[in-house]
Amino acid sequence: MTAPDDTAARYRRPVPVLWWTGRRPYLLFMIREFSSVFVAWSVVYLLLLVRAVAAGPAAYRGFMELSASWWMLALNVAALALTLFHTITWFVVTPKAVAVRVLGVRLPAFMVAGPLYTAWIAVSAFVVWLLVR
Amino acid sequence: MAREGRAGPRRRPVEPFLWLLFSGGGMAAAVLVPVLVLLFGVVFPLAGGPPYDHLRAVAAHPLTRVALLGLAVLAFFHWAHRFRFAVEHGLGLGRLDRLIAPLCYGAALAGSAAAAHVLFLTL
């Protein structure tokens, strides 16, 4: 009863907990938000790999065996799908959030998103070149 | 605590900085994470990974360590920010922000410290 806004809150219509399951755009929104869990998982997984590499060849082999187990593969296939979803939704949203102006004219969305996709492909190609040789 | 009129996340001066970390993490993760998950999570387990010596040399390179630490810190704070609001809005727990926010950013901070430890003290 400290904040004056409590009065207003009591007149607000309660929102059902699963409000986002009813409509497709709402559901996609929530999947996008929860894709961040898989972004975090992917980084944790990479750090575990680095830790195994630091511990020596035997630990690296052990990690590779673990990563080939069916449940770890399933987890990482899900992580791949959701991090791809993250990348695409991120590049779709960025031109809406970042207004790039040249000579006072706002650049169209594709001229903001285009360089992002280019950078994505270039960085991915560089990582593959670095690791697969 | 005197200016509690409109309690909410926007009142805190740290909030813009958290949005900045969220955006940086979103961008770093968008560009770097899918290819790394594809290689280390799917392709290498099925087709065989790079030789140990090569992988160790790549991982231990100073630029790789700095890049991975940057990715880890930004990605963890990206997760913390997004997960905080996903839980608060998606499950209607906004009134618990004072509990959820410190838990999320605290986990990101702990993850960042662990990343720094692995990349600069263990490797």
Side-chain angles (χ1 to χ4, degrees):
Chain A
M1 282 294 161
T2 47
D5 276 22
D6 279 11
T7 333
R10 257 185 266 125
Y11 286 97
R12 215 171 284 150
R13 194 159 162 256
V15 180
V17 171
L18 297 178
W19 59 268
W20 42 274
T21 52
R23 283 197 196 191
R24 204 174 128 84
Y26 295 169
L27 185 64
L28 286 177
F29 165 77
M30 281 310 273
I31 292 174
R32 194 189 76 193
E33 299 305 292
F34 276 105
S35 72
S36 61
V37 173
F38 283 89
V39 168
W41 156 250
S42 304
V43 173
V44 169
Y45 177 77
L46 287 171
L47 290 171
L48 290 174
L49 168 70
V50 172
R51 199 178 65 159
V53 168
Y60 173 56
R61 266 197 307 280
F63 186 87
M64 290 307 283
E65 273 166 34
L66 176 73
S67 69
S69 61
W70 70 267
W71 59 272
M72 189 63 104
L73 268 172
L75 186 58
N76 282 328
V77 167
L80 178 62
L82 280 144
T83 53
L84 280 172
F85 189 68
H86 164 83
T87 298
I88 288 160
T89 52
W90 191 262
F91 291 169
V92 166
V93 165
T94 302
K96 294 176 185 168
V98 184
V100 183
R101 286 171 203 281
V102 176
L103 302 171
V105 182
R106 184 171 174 170
L107 289 184
F110 80 92
M111 288 184 78
V112 181
L116 293 178
Y117 283 102
T118 311
W120 181 32
I121 292 166
V123 168
S124 302
F126 173 73
V127 171
V128 171
W129 171 81
L130 197 64
L131 292 166
V132 185
R133 269 194 286 178
Chain B
M1 284 290 162
R3 302 188 299 132
E4 277 290 274
R6 280 192 309 135
R10 278 162 195 284
R11 300 291 278 181
R12 276 179 257 162
V14 68
E15 214 68 24
F17 183 65
L18 295 173
W19 278 99
L20 195 67
L21 286 173
F22 163 74
S23 307
M27 195 56 81
V31 170
L32 270 169
V33 169
V35 68
L36 290 170
V37 176
L38 174 68
L39 289 178
F40 287 109
V42 182
V43 173
F44 293 158
L46 290 175
Y52 174 78
D53 291 335
H54 177 64
L55 189 57
R56 182 171 179 116
V58 170
H61 192 284
L63 285 178
T64 312
R65 294 184 205 228
V66 171
L68 279 180
L69 181 63
L71 173 68
V73 172
L74 288 174
F76 284 149
F77 275 93
H78 171 83
W79 163 81
H81 201 63
R82 209 163 216 189
F83 191 71
R84 166 192 173 195
F85 287 116
V87 166
E88 290 179 9
H89 296 163
L91 305 177
L93 296 174
R95 69 208 134 76
L96 296 180
D97 181 58
R98 267 152 207 284
L99 177 71
I100 293 169
L103 281 176
C104 288
Y105 299 119
L109 213 54
S112 303
H117 182 264
V118 167
L119 288 163
F120 287 93
L121 296 176
T122 316
L123 185 64

